[in-house]
Structure formats: C-alpha cells, structure tokens
Amino acid sequence: MNEASDPARVRKIIHVDMDAFYASVEQRDNPELRGKPVAVGGMHRGVVAAASYEARTYGVRSAMPSVTAKRRCPDLIFVKPRFDIYREVSRQIRAIFADYTPHIEPLSLDEAYLDVTEDLRGIGVATVIAEEIRTRIRAETGLTASAGVSYNKFLAKLASDPNQPAPLCVG
C-alpha cells in the first residue's frame, strides 16, 4: 500500500521562512548595517522590498512606499537590492532542504514548504528535521529562519508566521 492510499498515514509538512531575508543578507554582508534599521528598495521612488527587524519596530514593512518608510523611521538606511546574491543564497538554502526531502515547494526566494512524511535521512520526526534545517541554515549562510510544522501546508504556514524571527512552532 502506498502512502497516498493509506488514510492512517499523517503527512509531515514544514514551512520554512527566512527571517527578513533581503535585509538580513545585506546586514550579514555589510557589518556596518548590523543592528540598524535597514530597508531594501528605492529611497526616493518605489517601495520597500524588505525591512530589517530594527526597521520593523518603527512600523516599516515590505511593500510600503519608501517615502512613508523614511517618515516613520528617519534613520532608515536604504540599500539597493542585489537579487543575484539573494538567488544564490536561496539556492544554498534549497540545497539544504534537498538533503532531507525531494518534495520541496518554493513559494519565493525566501520560503518553501517541505513534505518530510518520508524524509531522506530516516529521522522520522518533523520537528527534529525542522530544527536541523534551521541550524544548518544558520551555520552555512549566517542567516536565521523560522519554521512551522503541521500535517498540512495551511497550518504549517500559520505556525511559522507569528513567531518570527527564528523560532520553531508546531501547529
């Protein structure tokens, strides 16, 4: 009997979401930005593509007009996006995912669903797998990730969203 025809088999889904991904990459690569409010995007025209957690304390959010962001946080530092770097880091992270499952559903450069019902390492416990993945992401990229674990994608995403930055939550 395969797993699709076995109703007793509970799926194990992990939602991994990188914490303030673009801004965190910029802070990682430029130590002068660490601990400061950073926005990735256009300063004079355009919108914020990502905001560091320091900027978020002032109410700066992704998709916010840059003018509004600067008004909310006068010390906000704007950084031009480097999508080639973000794509490369995303490839590194997905390579980590692939060590645990071939069932990866990317949602964007910085988040994905992983079906670890049958994980490649034979670990068998989704929370242990999620914690290993988060630890490896931190060690190999210098970035943090949040993760939610559940038996379906919706609940896994709900579990990961309110807990950023960096925790693991089971839903």
Side-chain angles (χ1 to χ4, degrees):
M1 178 182 281
N2 66 35
E3 80 180 67
S5 64
D6 183 358
R9 184 159 191 90
V10 176
R11 290 179 67 207
K12 299 172 189 172
I13 306 295
I14 301 170
H15 175 257
V16 179
D17 194 356
M18 298 302 297
D19 299 327
F21 184 54
Y22 301 163
S24 294
V25 169
E26 297 303 333
Q27 288 177 315
R28 176 196 74 179
D29 293 353
N30 182 350
E32 292 178 13
L33 297 176
R34 292 182 192 154
K36 296 180 181 172
V38 174
V40 176
M43 179 176 166
H44 302 293
R45 290 187 174 176
V47 298
V48 173
S52 68
Y53 285 100
E54 295 85 357
R56 291 179 188 189
T57 63
Y58 292 90
V60 176
R61 299 277 182 261
S62 296
M64 175 179 281
S66 298
V67 172
T68 304
K70 190 68 172 172
R71 197 174 319 118
R72 288 191 180 183
C73 181
D75 295 328
L76 189 62
I77 301 166
F78 283 91
V79 179
K80 285 180 64 172
R82 300 181 302 148
F83 289 106
D84 55 331
I85 302 297
Y86 310 146
R87 279 189 290 274
E88 179 54 37
V89 175
S90 182
R91 279 192 284 276
Q92 284 180 272
I93 294 163
R94 288 193 189 146
I96 293 169
F97 297 162
D99 285 345
Y100 297 87
T101 181
H103 306 291
I104 302 165
E105 184 182 332
L107 301 173
S108 61
L109 291 177
D110 69 330
E111 70 179 308
Y113 290 113
L114 313 176
D115 186 331
V116 295
T117 306
E118 292 186 13
D119 68 278
L120 297 174
R121 295 186 170 207
I123 296 168
V125 179
T127 54
V128 172
I129 296 167
E131 204 50 57
E132 269 192 35
I133 288 171
R134 291 177 61 242
T135 299
R136 284 190 58 196
I137 288 170
R138 178 73 173 171
E140 295 176 30
T141 70
L143 302 171
T144 61
S146 298
V149 176
S150 192
Y151 60 89
N152 68 40
K153 290 189 282 188
F154 177 74
L155 291 176
K157 174 129 174 91
L158 278 180
S160 70
D161 278 352
N163 296 301
Q164 291 183 340
L168 171 66
C169 186
V170 178

